Amino acid sequence: MKIEVIVTTLSEAIQAEHLGADRLELIADMGNGGITPSFGTIRNVVEHVSIPVHVMIRPHTRSFHYNEDDVETMLADIGLCRELGVDGIVFGALTKDGEIDERILGEVIKHKGEMTLTFHRAFDASRDVFESIEVLNEYPEVDILLTSGGANTAIEGIEVLNRLKEQAGMTILPGSGITLKTMPSLKERLVVDMVHIGNGVRTDGQFDESKFKQLRG
């Protein structure tokens, strides 16, 4: 099974590639759920690794609801990612009522160019994940959905993940709480090509080569 792994620095990106990661999600402020990393970090990672790099587009961690200033910032960051040759962006936005914010999604789609678009776990905070998947299905430009099935962890949301996989028009990427302990059950109960992992391959915040190799199997 392929692994997309969260990284926050150039050093982590190089190490993750060396350890066998298949794709990187590049973010800042991992402890609070992730925001857009700096221009310099994005540029250096893209220049120094050969595996795909997907960059988080999120201006703050207060919520997944964004005002016009936030949108302007996100679109500018998307433009920079496009210019730097980033492979994909990771984005999500909700309305105050907890629905997919289609207006902002439409703007992101118009600005992303050829970059892959992942709708992130804002999805799991939406009012109804089955309503939300139907909305996202109307946008073929959404390539990947990063989700835990609306639960705190992917293994807790496994039944919903299976239902979403049947309903989704895009690739389902399970994430949250995937570890050495939960991976066997996830593999047994959910058929996917790739998983999204953060702390599951770290010990005391640092990449753990042993965990990485065991997770890859």
Side-chain angles (χ1 to χ4, degrees), residues 152-174:
N152 288 328
T153 67
I155 199 68
E156 291 176 89
I158 197 78
E159 292 182 7
V160 173
L161 283 169
N162 272 305
R163 290 177 62 189
L164 290 172
K165 189 170 179 289
E166 294 178 358
Q167 195 174 342
M170 72 291 294
T171 299
I172 294 293
L173 177 63

Side-chain angles (χ1 to χ4, degrees), residues 81-122:
C81 287
R82 193 175 63 242
E83 292 172 15
L84 290 171
V86 168
D87 297 282
I89 56 172
V90 183
F91 153 87
L94 303 176
T95 66
K96 287 183 178 179
D97 295 327
E99 298 176 342
I100 301 296
D101 194 319
E102 295 184 70
R103 184 185 65 82
I104 299 178
L105 177 58
E107 288 295 314
V108 167
I109 288 170
K110 285 193 292 185
H111 283 77
K112 78 178 186 66
E114 297 300 313
M115 293 186 292
T116 298
L117 175 56
T118 298
F119 197 97
H120 63 48
R121 292 190 61 226

